[in-house]
Amino acid sequence: MENNTELVIKGLKKSFGGNKVLNGIDFKLSEGERVVVLGPSGSGKSTFLRCINWMEEPTAGEMYFNGELVYEKNIRRIRRNIGMVFQHFNLINNLTVMENLVLAPVKLRVMKRVEAEKKARDLLKHIGLISKADAFPASLSGGQKQRVAIVRALMLDPEVILFDEPTSALDPESIGDVLSLIREVANRGMTLMIVTHEMSFAKEIATRIVFVDKGRIVEEGVPKDFFEHPKTPRVKEFLEKVL
């Protein structure tokens, strides 16, 4: 395997009962890539991301992270290196912002509490939310919650961050704040995978676009080619509706 290939997926399938959501996905993600996953609603995009992080256990297929086969016994260790940001934030409501941020690093014994709190304070200062350190998530706006969720993913210094429709639950004003934070994370050279419906952001941020439909990768390519010269009728049809 090439040195800079972080993630290799072979024949990924996922079914929920009789409902086949992913139908055999082959995929590689290399260090420093920013892959945007596009496709219609219900095409399997979010399930794809959730299988990478094993929030959904794949029904079939193999996944290798940095050359190591991922399976039930090692997923907790590997998950430290694959951060995830969710559509609905997934902050723990009965913990303060600070407690949400330090929970994983302390629990996983990656950092002592004092060290984790210092890092959390520095990150909150950076995003302009240090005043919310002792607040509970219910008191935050959607945009603030999502920025805290992104910072939570950064706390463990993961090698890859997965973003599952990070702006779809936000009002238009908050979307800009969240996208600019994702842009900043990307500019640091972080490896990212993003499921989004924000087409102009996809064009700007992606090094590669992957189009998923009916649980398969139908087409992929660099943004310019994908948007200006789609190869498949399915992608042409999709772009005519969304652009």
Side-chain angles (χ1 to χ4, degrees), residues 192-210:
L192 307 178
M193 277 185 75
I194 306 171
V195 170
T196 185
H197 293 289
E198 302 284 333
M199 293 299 144
S200 58
F201 182 67
K203 281 183 196 177
E204 172 207 338
I205 199 96
T207 55
R208 177 163 49 120
I209 304 275
V210 168

Side-chain angles (χ1 to χ4, degrees), residues 52-223:
I52 291 173
N53 209 21
W54 272 54
M55 307 212 64
E56 300 290 354
E57 189 174 337
T59 307
E62 292 180 342
M63 183 165 91
Y64 296 86
F65 187 73
N66 289 336
E68 182 180 0
L69 179 67
V70 178
Y71 65 117
E72 218 170 322
K73 295 262 169 57
N74 63 4
I75 186 57
R76 286 191 68 166
R77 174 170 54 78
I78 283 172
R79 213 182 256 152
R80 292 182 196 181
N81 285 311
I82 305 177
M84 182 117 185
V85 176
F86 302 88
Q87 182 177 354
H88 295 292
F89 329 121
N90 287 32
L91 298 173
I92 300 169
N93 287 325
N94 62 348
L95 298 182
T96 64
V97 165
M98 177 61 76
E99 288 165 341
N100 266 282
L101 295 181
V102 303
L103 181 67
V106 172
K107 202 172 177 183
L108 295 169
R109 298 182 179 165
V110 175
M111 295 177 209
K112 293 197 160 62
R113 189 171 182 98
V114 175
E115 194 187 345
E117 285 185 357
K118 183 188 183 306
K119 181 166 187 174
R121 271 195 299 276
D122 290 345
L123 286 166
L124 286 172
K125 268 183 203 154
H126 184 68
I127 62 166
L129 290 178
I130 188 64
S131 63
K132 303 292 185 184
D134 298 320
F136 288 92
S139 69
L140 305 181
S141 70
Q144 289 171 334
K145 284 179 192 172
Q146 195 58 296
R147 281 149 64 211
V148 168
I150 294 170
V151 162
R152 176 179 60 182
L154 292 169
M155 284 291 293
L156 288 170
D157 289 324
E159 291 177 39
V160 177
I161 300 185
L162 312 174
F163 292 87
D164 185 13
E165 300 197 24
T167 59
S168 64
L170 303 179
D171 61 272
E173 198 174 3
S174 302
I175 288 173
D177 290 341
V178 169
L179 292 183
S180 74
L181 183 54
I182 297 172
R183 207 174 277 122
E184 192 184 318
V185 172
N187 288 341
R188 291 186 200 170
M190 177 75 77
T191 308
L192 307 178
M193 277 185 75
I194 306 171
V195 170
T196 185
H197 293 289
E198 302 284 333
M199 293 299 144
S200 58
F201 182 67
K203 281 183 196 177
E204 172 207 338
I205 199 96
T207 55
R208 177 163 49 120
I209 304 275
V210 168
F211 184 85
V212 175
D213 190 33
K214 296 179 180 162
R216 294 179 189 276
I217 293 178
V218 174
E219 188 172 328
E220 56 184 301
V222 298

